Amino acid sequence: MLIAATVDVVADAGLRGLTFRSVAARAGVSNGLIAHHFGTRHALLVAAMEWAVDNAIEATQLAGFIRGQVTPEDFLASLSDVPEVHAFQTEMILEARRNEAFRAPISELYERYQQVADCAVRSLGITVDSAPVARQAFAFLDGVVLQHMAGVEHAILIGALRDVQRDLRRRAPDKASEDR
């Protein structure tokens, strides 16, 4: 509840709007409770980043999309299910550019996405150079998230998502030739 309220406050008001008081008001608790649980604003934000990445991975079914089990339409629709999470992460990425204290947590956020993408790529049978393929796929999807937040036309994004799934299928080894 406190973490989700933190994400919502940052998504709505940016980091300048984040105070223990604003989070407490959003969560319906006392601001002393937040100070007790997290101690510092930095600790609260790091915890919120960890929660946000797990929430985004689950909501978008990132691995399922990479495997081709989630359609481009469903992936794009899922972005609208958690817009606050994506806005929060974008705010934190920009803050990491200005504030070195957030660079390591943002690197960890991206590493978590990379791990999920790499496992999904490997499950397609792409085991040689899977990490670069996964990084490329995730970087592409990261860009789609930003474009979606900016209001780029859905048809354009769906076409691009279809292209990346087609590219991943082409890179996957042919199962029939493996069985011979």
Side-chain angles (χ1 to χ4, degrees), residues 57-71:
I57 288 168
E58 182 180 326
T60 62
Q61 300 177 61
L62 175 62
F65 175 79
I66 290 171
R67 288 185 197 111
Q69 299 163 328
V70 173
T71 67

Side-chain angles (χ1 to χ4, degrees), residues 2 14 77 118 154:
L2 297 177
D118 191 50
H154 281 201

Side-chain angles (χ1 to χ4, degrees), residues 27 35 42 51 54 63 67 83 116 125 130 151 158:
H42 179 81
W51 178 87
D54 289 338
R67 288 185 197 111
V116 170
S130 66
I158 287 172

Side-chain angles (χ1 to χ4, degrees), residues 70-152:
V70 173
T71 67
E73 293 82 1
D74 287 344
F75 181 83
L76 198 60
S78 74
L79 299 180
S80 298
D81 292 342
V82 288
E84 300 82 11
V85 168
H86 300 298
F88 169 78
Q89 288 180 340
T90 301
E91 289 285 339
M92 294 310 303
I93 290 163
L94 293 172
E95 184 61 19
R97 183 175 181 271
R98 297 181 288 262
N99 183 342
E100 193 171 322
F102 289 108
R103 289 189 188 140
I106 287 297
S107 290
E108 290 171 19
L109 175 142
Y110 274 117
E111 185 56 33
R112 176 77 176 107
Y113 280 119
Q114 183 60 33
Q115 289 169 353
V116 170
D118 191 50
C119 285
V121 164
R122 285 178 169 278
S123 75
L124 292 172
I126 304 170
T127 55
V128 176
D129 294 329
S130 66
V133 172
R135 192 164 300 284
Q136 181 184 33
F138 177 71
F140 170 84
L141 294 173
D142 201 25
V144 166
V145 170
L146 287 173
Q147 291 177 47
H148 180 264
M149 287 179 15
V152 171

